[in-house]
């Protein structure tokens, strides 16, 4: 299985990737993990990546795809499936990924979109509160419950990252840079969608159902 997961911030794709990882014995690859690993390996690409990160700059796509290429080639050699979570994020990255797979003479199994309406993303993301005392995160329902930290009874506050303005901004970035990937993969006949409304288990259930339908094991 070679899977790309798509979905806006708050779509829960990272958590769904964890479920798929267990169930299908595949590796979840996030950009952060890939970079950390390349840097600790001390490879040339890792060193290049580190030089950008040390300057507080974004790692260029060419370096990122180089790291991904090396890692996935190792997986291909041992027939190990993988899920990409958080990559590609832009059209140039998606193009580079497709080129990479072509070079490796393999095909993407699918790009799976966890489709959650924008208003629901905002609602989910802006309901997250953090404990001042123990830093646990918790979700407030529309009635504003819980009022205190369920772990320790501490006072709850909202981190800047979880405030509505920040969230709307994140969603705008997603809409501008990442949403075009939906059409990109659809045009290639690689897009599948699941309804991302509902509980975490309901969404997992839909994904697994889709995999059964597609004969993915
Ligand atoms: Zn607490």
């Amino acid at each position: 299985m070679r899977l790309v997961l798509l979905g806006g911030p708050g779509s829960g794709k990272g958590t769904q990737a964890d479920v798929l990882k267990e169930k299908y014995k595949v590796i979840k690859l996030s950009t952060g993990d890939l970079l950390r690993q390349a840097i600790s390996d001390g490879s040339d690409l890792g060193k290049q990546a580190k030089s950008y990160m040390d300057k507080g700059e974004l790692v260029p796509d060419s370096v990122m795809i180089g790291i991904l290429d090396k890692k996935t080639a190792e997986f291909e050699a041992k027939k190990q499936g993988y899920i990409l979570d958080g990559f590609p994020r832009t059209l140039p990255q998606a193009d580079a990924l497709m080129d990479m797979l072509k070079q490796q003479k393999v095909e993407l199994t699918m790009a799976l979109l966890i489709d959650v309406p924008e208003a629901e993303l905002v609602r989910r993301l802006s309901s997250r509160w953090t404990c001042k005392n123990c830093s646990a995160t918790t979700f407030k329902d529309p009635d504003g419950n819980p009022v205190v930290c369920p772990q320790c009874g501490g006072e709850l506050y909202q981190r800047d990252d979880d405030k509505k303005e920040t969230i709307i901004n994140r969603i705008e970035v997603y809409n501008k840079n990442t949403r075009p990937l939906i059409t990109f993969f659809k045009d290639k006949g690689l897009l599948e969608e699941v309804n991302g409304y509902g509980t975490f288990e309901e969404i997992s259930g839909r994904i697994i159902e889709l995999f059964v339908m597609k004969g993915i094991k």
Side-chain angles (χ1 to χ4, degrees), residues 131 133-136 149 151-154:
C131 175
N133 187 36
C134 74
S135 306
C149 172
Q151 309 276 345
C152 75

Side-chain angles (χ1 to χ4, degrees), residues 41 44 57 65 70 80 92 107 147 166 168 197 206 215:
D41 290 349
D44 279 348
E57 290 171 13
I65 206 83
K70 200 166 159 240
Q80 170 66 61
E107 279 173 15
V147 177
T166 318
I168 287 171
Y197 235 120
R206 288 177 202 137

Side-chain angles (χ1 to χ4, degrees), residues 72-122:
T72 51
E74 285 169 30
F75 291 163
E76 295 300 341
K78 40 184 183 185
K79 299 199 188 311
Q80 170 66 61
Y82 60 88
I83 303 176
L84 294 177
D85 172 29
F87 190 94
R89 247 184 236 280
T90 62
L91 280 176
Q93 289 179 354
D95 264 325
L97 173 70
M98 296 312 284
D99 285 346
M100 182 199 92
L101 294 171
K102 203 172 165 191
Q103 295 278 330
Q104 292 183 354
K105 298 190 169 59
V106 297
E107 279 173 15
L108 189 68
T109 310
M110 70 168 75
L112 177 63
L113 170 67
I114 302 179
D115 190 24
V116 184
E118 208 166 296
E120 171 68 5
L121 292 178
V122 175

Side-chain angles (χ1 to χ4, degrees), residues 10-22:
S11 61
K13 67 185 165 57
T15 332
Q16 295 299 343
D18 287 330
V19 173
L20 298 176
K21 180 177 85 175
E22 292 301 319

